[in-house]
Every structure is written in structure tokens, then in C-alpha cells.
Amino acid sequence: MSVIDFFVHRMLELMKGLPLLILISDENGCILEMAGDETIKSVVQQSGIRVGLIFSEREAGTNSINLVLDHREPVQLVGGEHYYEFLGSSACYSVPFQYADISNLLGTITIMTTIDQHNPFLLAMLCTVVDSIERELLLKKQNRRLHILNQVVIETTRNGIIITDRDGNVTEFNKFAEILTGAKKQDVLHQPIPDAKANDFIQEVLRTGKEYEDMEFILRPRSGQDELVYLFDAFPIRDGNQQIMGAFAQFRDITERYRTQKQINYLAYHDDLTGLPNRRFFTGHIDKLLRHGVNDNSIFAVMFLDLDSFKKINDTLGHNNGDVLLKLVAERLKSCCRAADQLVSRMGGDEFTILLHNIANQAEAIHVAEQIIKVFEKPFAVDGYEFYITASIGIAFYPQDGTNVEMLMKNADIALYRMKDDGKNNYNVFKPNPDGGGIERLTLENSIRKALQLGEFELHYQPQVDVLTGEVIGTEALVRWNHPTLGLLPPAKFIPIAEETGLIVSLGEWVLRTACLQHQVWREKGFAPMRVSVNLSSRQFSKHDLIERIEEILRETRIDPRYLELEITESMTMNVDGAIEVLGKLKELGMQLCIDDFGTGYSNLYYLKLFSIDRLKIDRSFVRDIMTDTTDADIVATIIAMAHKLGIGVIAEGVEDRDQLDFLHSHSCHEVQGFYYHRPLPAAQFERLLRKRGAMKTNSQR
């Protein structure tokens, strides 16, 4: 039972968040243990199923435990397949377990969950767990036999076997022990075990009779081989009077498993093309640095680097040669940043980031940036071609440009794109008010409040399309400012200012009200109802009267809440308890909720269920490079798979070409928006699009 309990609780820990109850029975169908979801356990116990109950098909009807005991095969019973009606809302998965060497049935393990959580994966997972249990039971059975001296020293085993006498001196030392330690049997006989750590365990066994299992050892053979990783076991050997007469120790090789896990961990934090740290490693490293590695006088620099005109070279030479170029770029960047406190990483596509820690002043970072620009003056040679490529760099400094990861990276990115706007092939240090932009910013700041009063804002609507049918199934409302002197301004020009001044709250309410009213206008004109998505700002989300204001707009516009979707960002949910309360109240109003720009923050997937989220929107920064960046492709595929697993819808934004669309379609993301279909359209043009696509309802459908 100790073996089974270990694996059962590991399984429950891995499946945390799912309502699972696990039942363990013996070979007669007697329930030995119940663990897991307390709600399911209570319901089951009220029905009479409890520890000590013996299942019999005559009394319990058709059930998974008796079926498994009769047929010795994995079984699943879902819903109405059960005999009793009270089990009709449940799904049960049962698997037998036995001693693998003699195939004698020992009992069953059953997973019980609610029918809405039914998934054949649970049965496959349980089969895998039972295989592990059977192997461990067999190993323990074999280990007990090894307590008998004449059965432990088996030269053909792949385990390193060592036997000692009562004083801890070696009496047996098999061939594999020689390979592991590099010592010869004749040299260690009648001597203590040559490995000091193992010898300490043996001495404890001889002194107290304590047993050790699965102690992880890293051994470095004297022959110069690579390090080997082993699990170490040690037991006392007793005579007929149960007196300790010696000790048995063995090393079990887990080197391949260890290396595989190490490789998996490496790939999770490194770019598989260049070998550089990836986005996850870079942001995590800065976050750790901010939490533990900075003091009041510390400064460090974050650089964003983007290759100029890389797409043109990629399209001309092909993606394979483009990959070769990225590797060469990575090598040159590393040559400029060799110090231990300098970190180069690849964020995706042709974008790289650099962290310069422990710098004395900004001039040190600027010097590194100048070195990087200089090394790009040398031509690159790829597939017989020699060509030049330049790079643009944006630099942000801690603490003046940000005191958290998100702000530092955002401002470095802003500095980068200002550099691209200024002519590329150089570096740019972030400035809150860039030269030439101060007057425009002041003009916009003073005009936003008046613009609301004069009706200068307007909404454009970007269609959201069902990939399978081509139908427009929804739209995202996006604000534009029709400025009397500056012309039509995109959100990036005025939203940050509105956020800083607090006017974003009034503007956000105007956007929500206008989008709801427009939806009702289309309904009155006979168009089929569709989802309209509106973004909430962080300031709106944190307002104490948010729910009341939204209720007021719903009453005023008379929109059916089912067709209104509010989009929030991951950062708004960092206060988990507060977010759960606010999002719960929004769901009570009947509207849908979407996490916007998903994948760019730090969402805990477990909380998505608690937040009652209906849909995830994959950020355009991942979609943009899914055909050229395997990391971004893996991230997108993982988000889609996890969303489906959690029963959450998923939509991708920023779809610009057919290849991106086909990739998303192949991974079962069937809702998209982006320039491939349509740019954001004024209301009148969106209406013409709906007419063209035949979205009018017939009178019989009203």
C-alpha cells in the first residue's frame, strides 16, 4: 500500500484542479482506500460505498471494479453504462494490478470523476501509473529476496552489488560495481566501501538497522567516462536470530532517464535553433535578478535587437539559409557579450535580447551596443553568397525605465522601433518623451477630454471568422481618433496617454456603449446576432463601480449579454482573489470573458477555470512567427491544446497569410482575426461586408 499511496498521491498532485476520486481494492473487490475529491467521496459514501465494502456484481450490478476483476483488462464505464442510476452522472476508469513476475492478481485501482470531465486520457494515464506500480512492487519483492546472502551476488545483473560484513568491510563486489566505481574487487575486499557517501549510509544501516531506498547518487568513474547517475539502496542482512550480520547495497542506473530529463529542461529554456536562452529563460532571469540580485545603487541594461530587412533575405535565400544566418548572428552577439554577467537570448524570429548586469553606468551599455553594430559591418557568408545585414537596437535601463520585467522589456521594445523609424542600423536609448514628440503628446493630452465631448472618436470593427465555414461569427471593436488636425490616429498614439491621465475610464465606457448600440442597430436591420468583443483597460477593471457601470450600459443599450464579450489582459488577474470576484460578477451578468494577448504574461493555467474564462486570444507576436520560429509554433500549439483540454475556446489574432491560417487550422484553432481576412472596418463598411456574405436573417428566423 505504501507503493500505491505514493503513486496515487503523485497522480492527484499532477491532476490538481480536476475533481477525481481514486479507489483502491484488493483481489476480492474489498475497498482498501479512497483518496481525492471530498465532494465525490461524500456522495459515494452516502450511497454505501466506503472503505471495507466488498464489491460483488450480484449486489452492486454492472461496475468497473468487478468487470476488471473478472476480465483482468482495463475498463471504463461512463454515464448510463453503469447499473445504478446514481452513478449515471459519473465516469469510472479501472485497471488491475498484479505481481508482474507471477501474474497473480493483487487488486484494482479506479478513478471516478464527473461525466463532464470524461476523457479516455484518464484511462491511459491510469494504465501508465499501474505499470509503474507493478514495476516498483516487483523491484521491492526482489529486494527483499536479496536480503538472503546467497541470492544477492548475481554477476550478470546490471546493478552494482556490494555486500559488507558487520564491521562495514566489503565481502562481495560484483563486476558492475567495479565499472561504476573504477575500483577492482581484489583491491576493496575486506576494506570499507570506496565511495565515502555510500559508506556513510552503510554505516548507518549497520548501526541502526535502517533501510534506504532510491537515494540519488552521481558517480564519476575514475576511467574518465561521463558522470553516471544511480539510485542507491541499502539494507541490513540479518541472521536467523534477526541480528545484523552485514549490509547489502546496490546501485541502479538511471543515467539515461536523468539525461533525458536534463535535455527536456534545457529545451524548455533554450532556443533549439541557436542554442541561446529563450524568452522564458530571459524574462525569468530578469525577474529573479529583480527579486534577489539588485540593491538601491544597481543599474542594468535590457537591449532589444532586430535584424533589418531579414524577411527579404529569408524570402530570397529560403528559410533554411535564413536559419543558418540566425545562427551566425547568434555567434557574433555572443562574441560581443562574453562576460558572466552578460546574457544573450533569442526571443523569436529575428529578434534577440541582451541583458547587461553589474554595469557602472549607461556608457558601458552604449559601448556594447556600438560593438554589436560594428561586428555587423563584416559580411555574412551563407550557401556561397556573401552579403551585409544590419541591426537596430533599443536600450532600456533599470531602474529609470522600469522596475519590473514587463516595463523594462516594453520600453526596450519601444526604443527599438523608434530606432527603426529613425533609419535603422544603430542603437537608441529609451526616452519617455522622445525628441520631436513632446509637443504632439501635449496636444493629444489636452485634446482627449474635448474629443469625447465633440464626438471625434469612432469605432472600427475587425471581423472574427470561423475557419471551417468562412462565416463572420463576431467582431472586435477597436477605437480610432479622427483628430481635426492630425487625421485618423491609431490607438497606440493616444491610449497610453489616456491610461496615464485616467481618461481611459471614460473612453472605455464610450467604446463599450457605442459597440453595444451598434450591435443593436445591426440586429434591427435584420443581421444575424454575433459576438462583439470590447477591450477593458486595467484602470476600468480596478474601478470599484465597474459592475454597476456595465449593468447601466446593458440596460441602456438593451443588448443581450450573451453577445457581449469583454477582453482583459493577463496582468489584470495577478490579484487572483480580486479577479475571481470581479470576473464572477461579470459572468453572472451573462456576458463572455476572454483573456487578450494570451501567452505574453504569466497566467497560471489552473486559475483559468477559477476565472470562468470562455476564450483565450493568442497574441499576434506568436502568430507572426509560427512559420519561421519553432518556439513560437510550439507555444501556439500548446496554448490551443491546453485551451481545448480545459474546455476553453481559443481565437488567434494577427493572421496575415495562408500558411499561418493552415497551421492554426491543423491544430484545431478554428476562430481567427487578422489582415488575411479583413482589416478593422468602419461600421458602414463592416455592414456592407455582412450583406455581401449573406448574413441577413429571414423573417422566419426572427
Side-chain angles (χ1 to χ4, degrees):
M1 287 301 296
S2 64
V3 172
I4 296 171
D5 283 346
F6 172 80
F7 283 95
V8 164
H9 286 93
R10 283 294 300 275
M11 181 166 55
L12 287 172
E13 183 180 342
L14 289 173
M15 303 301 289
K16 182 179 179 182
L18 291 179
L20 302 179
L21 180 67
I22 298 181
L23 298 87
I24 303 168
S25 83
D26 64 13
E27 71 274 21
N28 299 314
C30 178
I31 301 299
L32 302 177
E33 185 173 341
M34 300 168 64
D37 188 87
E38 292 297 329
T39 300
I40 300 178
K41 183 188 292 187
S42 176
V43 173
V44 167
Q45 288 177 334
Q46 290 173 17
S47 69
I49 300 175
R50 60 189 64 231
V51 173
L53 173 74
I54 299 178
F55 266 84
S56 68
E57 190 165 356
R58 184 181 62 190
E59 297 172 353
T62 301
N63 64 86
S64 60
I65 292 178
N66 287 131
L67 286 174
V68 167
L69 291 174
D70 289 343
H71 299 286
R72 293 197 177 192
E73 294 288 340
V75 168
Q76 70 175 23
L77 291 182
V78 181
E81 295 172 355
H82 290 94
Y83 180 79
Y84 283 112
E85 291 184 1
F86 83 92
L87 292 173
S89 61
S90 66
C92 296
Y93 313 85
S94 295
V95 177
F97 64 94
Q98 60 190 11
Y99 275 130
D101 57 338
I102 56 177
S103 300
N104 60 323
L105 186 62
L106 296 176
T108 68
I109 301 180
T110 299
I111 292 178
M112 178 179 288
T113 187
T114 55
I115 195 168
D116 60 321
Q117 297 293 336
H118 164 57
N119 192 325
F121 166 76
L122 290 173
L123 185 62
M125 179 192 68
L126 185 56
C127 288
T128 301
V129 170
V130 168
D131 285 343
S132 299
I133 290 173
E134 289 179 341
R135 287 195 297 271
E136 193 64 23
L137 288 174
L138 180 59
L139 178 60
K140 285 184 175 290
K141 184 178 179 182
Q142 292 170 337
N143 285 344
R144 285 193 295 271
R145 292 172 180 167
L146 290 175
H147 288 184
I148 304 172
L149 184 59
N150 62 357
Q151 293 179 328
V152 294
V153 185
I154 306 172
E155 290 295 343
T156 57
T157 183
R158 294 295 294 172
N159 295 341
I161 303 297
I162 302 174
I163 309 287
T164 76
D165 60 18
R166 183 65 184 84
D167 297 322
N169 295 320
V170 174
T171 59
E172 293 292 345
F173 200 80
N174 76 347
K175 291 180 180 179
F176 206 63
E178 291 183 330
I179 295 172
L180 291 177
T181 63
K184 295 298 182 181
K185 181 175 180 177
Q186 61 268 25
D187 296 330
V188 299
L189 280 177
H190 313 303
Q191 302 290 329
I193 295 178
D195 185 272
K197 187 176 180 182
N199 189 57
D200 289 342
F201 284 112
I202 288 294
Q203 293 301 323
E204 183 69 15
V205 168
L206 295 170
R207 186 169 59 254
T208 66
K210 186 175 181 179
E211 297 185 359
Y212 290 97
E213 290 186 76
D214 300 337
M215 310 298 293
E216 188 172 296
F217 273 33
I218 297 179
L219 302 177
R220 295 174 177 83
R222 298 172 187 171
S223 60
Q225 301 170 342
D226 293 338
E227 66 181 21
L228 302 172
V229 184
Y230 281 82
L231 293 181
F232 175 77
D233 305 323
F235 306 95
I237 300 173
R238 300 180 185 272
D239 60 20
N241 297 319
Q242 295 302 302
Q243 297 299 308
I244 295 176
M245 56 180 290
F248 157 72
Q250 72 168 345
F251 295 93
R252 288 178 282 127
D253 186 1
I254 61 165
T255 304
E256 287 305 315
R257 186 176 80 187
Y258 180 85
R259 288 173 180 167
T260 299
Q261 186 61 49
K262 196 172 180 180
Q263 180 68 8
I264 291 173
N265 292 338
Y266 178 85
L267 292 175
Y269 290 96
H270 289 78
D271 172 47
D272 59 352
L273 175 65
T274 63
L276 293 175
N278 61 13
R279 182 198 309 263
R280 179 184 299 170
F281 185 100
F282 190 81
T283 56
H285 186 76
I286 296 179
D287 186 59
K288 183 178 179 181
L289 184 64
L290 291 172
R291 285 186 283 113
H292 305 295
V294 295
N295 54 49
D296 294 340
N297 299 319
S298 295
I299 66 170
F300 61 82
V302 174
M303 295 183 179
F304 266 41
L305 180 146
D306 191 85
L307 301 181
D308 301 326
S309 304
F310 174 73
K311 187 177 186 303
K312 185 184 298 183
I313 293 174
N314 212 24
D315 293 342
T316 303
L317 299 181
H319 293 299
N320 290 336
N321 286 324
D323 287 347
V324 173
L325 174 60
L326 291 173
K327 292 179 182 179
L328 295 175
V329 168
E331 291 302 318
R332 292 198 186 181
L333 293 178
K334 287 192 291 185
S335 71
C336 297
C337 304
R338 295 182 178 276
D341 53 5
Q342 298 177 342
L343 174 67
V344 180
S345 71
R346 182 186 177 213
M347 300 299 279
D350 60 336
E351 191 172 75
F352 297 81
T353 51
I354 300 168
L355 172 67
L356 304 178
H357 185 212
N358 287 331
I359 58 176
N361 50 53
Q362 295 187 6
E364 288 188 29
I366 291 173
H367 176 68
V368 172
E370 291 173 341
Q371 283 185 305
I372 293 173
I373 297 298
K374 188 172 182 62
V375 300
F376 276 80
E377 294 176 359
K378 182 181 177 181
F380 289 87
V382 177
D383 195 27
Y385 297 95
E386 190 173 85
F387 56 88
Y388 293 86
I389 189 169
T390 60
S392 298
I393 302 172
I395 311 173
F397 291 96
Y398 170 88
Q400 71 179 50
D401 300 328
T403 55
N404 58 57
V405 176
E406 184 176 347
M407 186 59 66
L408 284 167
M409 296 186 69
K410 173 186 174 184
N411 288 338
D413 201 25
I414 290 172
L416 167 65
Y417 281 97
R418 285 176 183 164
M419 184 66 259
K420 283 186 169 290
D421 290 341
D422 289 343
K424 306 178 182 180
N425 190 27
N426 210 333
Y427 66 87
N428 179 54
V429 177
F430 174 77
K431 297 181 181 64
N433 292 307
D435 295 339
I439 296 177
E440 180 184 276
R441 178 185 173 88
L442 184 60
T443 301
L444 295 177
E445 187 170 328
N446 293 334
S447 302
I448 290 177
R449 185 175 283 104
K450 186 181 296 184
L452 279 167
Q453 298 170 354
L454 298 177
E456 293 175 359
F457 291 104
E458 63 184 60
L459 291 186
H460 286 196
Y461 299 87
Q462 184 165 41
Q464 296 174 336
V465 179
D466 185 328
V467 175
L468 299 177
T469 65
E471 294 180 355
V472 176
I473 56 174
T475 179
E476 182 180 5
L478 301 165
V479 66
R480 302 290 187 267
W481 186 359
N482 198 354
H483 195 279
T485 58
L486 299 175
L488 192 66
L489 301 179
K493 283 286 187 180
F494 59 89
I495 290 295
I497 303 172
E499 285 273 10
E500 293 174 14
T501 59
L503 291 171
I504 192 66
V505 175
S506 299
L507 179 57
E509 290 180 5
W510 178 86
V511 171
L512 180 60
R513 181 180 293 105
T514 304
C516 292
L517 287 171
Q518 183 62 62
H519 180 274
Q520 295 303 83
V521 168
W522 287 329
R523 290 291 306 276
E524 292 170 5
K525 289 185 176 182
F527 293 101
M530 70 181 68
R531 179 178 70 235
V532 58
S533 299
V534 178
N535 292 278
L536 278 186
S537 72
S538 57
R539 280 186 178 250
Q540 281 179 282
F541 192 75
S542 61
K543 294 286 286 184
H544 69 278
D545 62 346
L546 171 67
I547 305 301
E548 291 76 13
R549 300 296 293 164
I550 291 179
E551 286 180 314
E552 180 180 334
I553 292 173
L554 292 176
R555 287 193 299 270
E556 179 184 336
T557 62
R558 298 182 180 181
I559 188 174
D560 186 335
R562 291 180 300 165
Y563 300 120
L564 176 60
E565 182 180 79
L566 298 180
E567 296 190 8
I568 63 174
T569 61
E570 293 180 75
S571 60
M572 296 184 197
T573 63
M574 296 300 285
N575 178 3
V576 175
D577 293 335
I580 290 174
E581 180 182 359
V582 174
L583 296 176
K585 291 179 179 178
L586 292 174
K587 287 297 292 183
E588 289 175 4
L589 296 178
M591 61 191 65
Q592 299 185 52
L593 300 174
C594 175
I595 295 285
D596 190 17
D597 299 337
F598 187 77
T600 61
Y602 307 93
S603 282
N604 186 319
L605 293 172
Y606 172 66
Y607 289 135
L608 293 180
K609 277 288 190 180
L610 301 181
F611 292 154
S612 302
I613 295 299
D614 300 289
R615 188 171 288 99
L616 302 179
K617 178 175 283 189
I618 302 174
D619 184 60
R620 67 179 66 249
S621 64
F622 296 118
V623 175
R624 179 187 61 202
D625 296 318
I626 54 176
M627 304 311 299
T628 59
D629 188 322
T630 56
T631 300
D632 282 356
D634 289 342
I635 290 173
V636 170
T638 300
I639 291 174
I640 296 170
M642 289 301 299
H644 289 326
K645 175 66 178 175
L646 293 171
I648 298 173
V650 60
I651 182 171
E653 65 178 353
V655 178
E656 297 183 357
D657 59 47
R658 183 72 196 188
D659 289 341
Q660 294 170 344
L661 182 67
D662 289 341
F663 177 93
L664 293 166
H665 184 194
S666 69
H667 287 81
S668 300
C669 176
H670 299 145
E671 294 182 18
V672 302
Q673 65 184 84
F675 290 177
Y676 177 78
Y677 282 106
H678 301 284
R679 294 176 178 269
L681 304 171
Q685 292 184 29
F686 187 87
E687 186 173 314
R688 286 197 291 272
L689 172 66
L690 294 179
R691 292 184 186 280
K692 183 178 179 180
R693 287 177 172 262
M696 299 292 290
K697 297 189 302 179
T698 65
N699 290 331
S700 62
Q701 290 177 309
R702 293 193 184 187

